[in-house]
Amino acid sequence: MNERWTEFIEEVTKVCKGTDILTSPEDCLIYSHGCYPREYKWLLQGKYPYISKAVLVPENEQEISEIVQLARKNQIHIIPYGGGSGIVGGSIPYNGEIIIDVKRLKDFSINVVNGTARGGAGLTGAEFENLLNEHGYTCGQYPQSFQSATLGGMTVTRAIGTFSTKYGKMDDMVTGMSVVLPDGQIYQSHAAPKRSTGPELNQIFLGSEGVYGVITSVEMKIYPIAETRIFQAYTFPSTHDGLNAIRSFMHKGLRPAVVRLYDEVEATHKIAQYGFEKGFTLLILVFEGCKEMTELEAKLTKEICLANYGRDKGEKSAVEWLESRFSTKKMLDYDAIKGGTADAIEVAAPWDCIETVWREMRKALEPLCEVVDCHFSHVYHNGASVYVIFHAKTNGDDKDGEQRYLDCLDLAIRTSLKYGGNVSHHHGVGTAKAEYLKEEHGEAGVYVMKALKDSLDPDGIINKGVLGL
Ligand SMILES: Cc1cc2nc3c(=O)[nH]c(=O)nc-3n(C[C@H](O)[C@H](O)[C@H](O)COP(=O)(O)OP(=O)(O)OC[C@H]3O[C@@H](n4cnc5c(N)ncnc54)[C@H](O)[C@@H]3O)c2cc1C
């Protein structure tokens, strides 16, 4: 961070009258970490190594534009910040960067004629959904971090929720946005439902993790709250059989809202809890929508599951999953152990190699971990994602826990890439996974991303280092 940051703050104070400026050590510390497991380890190790010099909380989009222009003029590096629930080190102020918290951007409007609603980038997923529910609508986006992740943060990480098979992911849900570019210009996408007017610019900002600008508002598709919900659960003799059933109903065009297949190990606890067959896998399905369509979809899906060696287990385990779906307690417990660590590495692969990716990632991580849990919870016409959740203990100190984390992360991603999987399905790249991007996109792909960055933000003012840019 250069020495002009005090002048920068003085100018912001003059120009942006509504912006709150936080500089107390406590405020700066709170904003200086997200939920990347290494950040948690650094907190436990004593003096936190990377502290922001100041946190700015602007009142509106115009102030963000002014701040970005002043940052560029003074060569001050900035980091946009939403809910702080990012888990890939995308908001670490390695050089004391100034944090721009967008959480005061909370405007909301609904357009039931178009089937869309617009929210300020600072609304959390839960706040946006509650506002929609008051009007009888939903957007269907329920990530596990629903209470903290913001519309802006979810857009730039291409986040996904548990009802993704019906409602899609942020990349399908977002219909429009406003973005403050690194030179202060404001890009506002057109409201037309489809265009043939050059590349789809919204898609450049979706997944951009803040490197191409600050998202200030997002327009999302909305749906009337479902008339009915149907729960189903099946056990299968193997992960292979469960995946075959899922692939088969996806290829037929059936779209349960929730599809979650727990492999033989992750299913063990639930299998014991409900007294199902030992050694089997467990598939949970939730259907929702109009009554007649949902009933038909559930009936046809059931036929396919039974034809693929699935055993019908009623609805109890699926209903209970819904009730506990936001809990992440086990992972946090491992992170809190001195030499312990945990994370969920989520990758995706086409159907013809997802099973190998799952098996090899599990095999690679098992020697380093106490527990490796795997499930498939986002599925597509041409493939699926797998969550590989590792819990490790080293009997050492927090530094050993941190090193074990890095070893597991590296092994998991390299194994995924080796067997046809990718680097990340929805958590993003941040700084944690940046070194692997070339293996997914190739030299040419990274060149395109870098060329965009260099022309939009030649001085690297926003989110320097994120996505390796
Ligand atoms: C317990 C837990 C469960 C989770 N479950 C899920 C899940 O189910 N699905 C899922 O997809 N993810 C999940 N995540 C990851 C995380 O919630 C998502 O990545 C989320 O989209 C981050 O949003 P945020 O508002 O918290 O962003 P932040 O953490 O504040 O920021 C993340 C990145 O986005 C940038 N950024 C933030 N806001 C803006 C903006 N307005 N404009 C430009 N750049 C911005 C930041 O600079 C940073 O690089 C989980 C995380 C945790 C801790």
Side-chain angles (χ1 to χ4, degrees):
M1 175 67 60
N2 76 32
E3 291 316 309
R4 292 186 56 83
W5 78 274
T6 40
E7 286 98 317
F8 165 71
I9 294 290
E10 277 166 21
E11 289 186 62
V12 171
T13 312
K14 252 190 246 151
V15 178
C16 305
K17 302 278 184 225
T19 294
D20 292 332
I21 301 176
L22 314 176
T23 51
S24 77
E26 293 80 6
D27 284 328
C28 292
L29 175 61
I30 285 170
Y31 278 94
S32 293
H33 64 87
C35 295
Y36 176 35
R38 279 185 87 190
E39 291 172 312
Y40 194 37
K41 285 287 157 198
W42 294 337
L43 276 175
L44 296 173
Q45 281 170 35
K47 194 170 177 323
Y48 198 74
Y50 308 114
I51 306 266
S52 167
K53 285 214 155 58
V55 179
L56 306 185
V57 195
E59 197 172 32
N60 53 39
E61 179 181 74
Q62 194 49 43
E63 289 193 342
I64 294 181
S65 168
E66 301 285 358
I67 289 169
V68 167
Q69 290 174 62
L70 291 172
R72 191 171 198 164
K73 180 180 141 208
N74 289 292
Q75 293 292 293
I76 297 299
H77 291 203
I78 56 175
I79 297 177
Y81 194 94
S85 71
I87 42 184
V88 288
S91 56
I92 303 170
Y94 279 112
N95 297 295
E97 286 88 338
I98 307 283
I99 285 176
I100 315 293
D101 180 4
V102 303
K103 276 198 294 297
R104 282 171 73 197
L105 305 187
K106 289 201 192 284
D107 291 349
F108 175 81
S109 60
I110 185 164
N111 186 330
V112 293
V113 175
N114 293 347
T116 57
R118 182 171 278 272
L123 285 169
T124 64
E127 285 169 339
F128 186 64
E129 181 67 13
N130 288 340
L131 288 163
L132 290 175
N133 289 174
E134 283 171 19
H135 292 81
Y137 285 83
T138 177
C139 71
Q141 168 71 345
Y142 314 112
Q144 204 179 22
S145 50
F146 185 58
Q147 316 284 355
S148 47
T150 58
L151 284 185
M154 290 192 289
T155 301
V156 297
T157 53
R158 292 173 165 256
I160 199 166
T162 42
F163 283 54
S164 63
T165 313
K166 180 177 175 76
Y167 296 101
K169 43 221 161 345
M170 286 304 275
D171 0 348
D172 309 307
M173 296 170 164
V174 171
T175 51
M177 61 177 73
S178 313
V179 188
V180 173
L181 302 183
D183 66 354
Q185 286 188 75
I186 298 171
Y187 165 73
Q188 165 83 59
S189 52
H190 195 281
K194 140 102 178 115
R195 1 178 195 268
S196 176
T197 48
E200 177 48 75
L201 297 182
N202 289 337
Q203 289 293 340
I204 291 175
F205 298 103
L206 272 150
S208 64
E209 300 192 26
V211 301
Y212 301 144
V214 186
I215 308 278
T216 50
S217 73
V218 180
E219 186 189 76
M220 303 271 287
K221 292 177 193 164
I222 58 167
Y223 306 85
I225 291 175
E227 257 173 44
T228 195
R229 224 174 226 175
I230 297 176
F231 296 88
Q232 293 181 352
Y234 299 89
T235 53
F236 288 87
S238 66
T239 297
H240 175 78
D241 294 320
L243 286 174
N244 276 348
I246 296 171
R247 193 179 74 242
S248 186
F249 67 64
M250 289 301 288
H251 282 175
K252 283 241 157 77
L254 299 167
R255 293 291 181 269
V258 177
V259 178
R260 295 178 76 80
L261 175 69
Y262 299 93
D263 79 351
E264 292 81 346
V265 177
E266 192 173 352
T268 311
H269 173 69
K270 289 186 199 297
I271 293 270
Q273 181 185 348
Y274 295 106
F276 300 155
E277 300 86 348
K278 273 196 185 151
F280 275 49
T281 61
L282 177 65
L283 174 66
I284 280 174
L285 300 174
V286 183
F287 303 81
E288 69 171 37
C290 313
K291 192 168 179 300
E292 293 90 334
M293 266 176 71
T294 307
E295 283 170 359
L296 180 61
E297 197 156 43
K299 175 179 166 286
L300 296 175
T301 306
K302 181 174 189 166
E303 284 168 15
I304 291 173
C305 289
L306 297 179
N308 281 278
Y309 312 109
R311 299 183 185 184
D312 185 354
K313 295 295 163 192
E315 59 171 34
K316 187 164 189 258
S317 54
V319 172
E320 290 183 1
W321 164 80
L322 190 78
E323 284 158 9
S324 62
R325 70 195 149 134
F326 295 122
S327 167
T328 49
K329 187 172 176 316
K330 187 170 170 190
M331 235 190 273
L332 288 176
D333 286 349
Y334 266 79
D335 271 332
I337 299 169
K338 273 202 161 305
T341 187
D343 200 4
I345 305 298
E346 28 60 66
V347 299
W351 285 120
D352 62 6
C353 55
I354 188 70
E355 203 176 319
T356 316
V357 168
W358 154 72
R359 186 177 300 107
E360 295 300 326
M361 283 179 76
R362 164 174 278 301
K363 208 160 56 179
L365 284 171
E366 272 169 350
L368 291 185
C369 301
E370 299 256 303
V371 184
V372 180
D373 279 334
C374 300
H375 62 258
F376 305 80
S377 50
H378 304 290
V379 298
Y380 304 90
H381 183 80
N382 59 332
S385 82
V386 58
Y387 267 76
V388 180
I389 305 166
F390 62 83
H391 301 87
K393 273 190 206 164
T394 61
N395 295 323
D397 59 13
D398 290 317
K399 282 214 163 92
D400 294 318
E402 183 184 349
Q403 188 54 50
R404 178 61 58 91
Y405 174 76
L406 291 173
D407 294 343
C408 290
L409 178 78
D410 185 63
L411 193 57
I413 294 179
R414 290 201 187 285
T415 308
S416 170
L417 286 164
K418 180 171 173 191
Y419 290 96
N422 74 344
V423 173
S424 171
H425 171 255
H426 61 267
H427 285 164
V429 169
T431 53
K433 301 178 185 170
E435 67 176 287
Y436 308 102
L437 270 199
K438 211 174 260 178
E439 288 185 57
E440 177 161 341
H441 295 303
E443 296 272 353
V446 171
Y447 166 77
V448 172
M449 287 163 58
K450 190 168 173 337
L452 273 172
K453 175 71 175 170
D454 290 346
S455 52
L456 290 174
D457 185 14
D459 303 317
I461 293 298
I462 305 190
N463 271 6
K464 193 172 180 150
V466 168
L467 290 173
L469 300 174

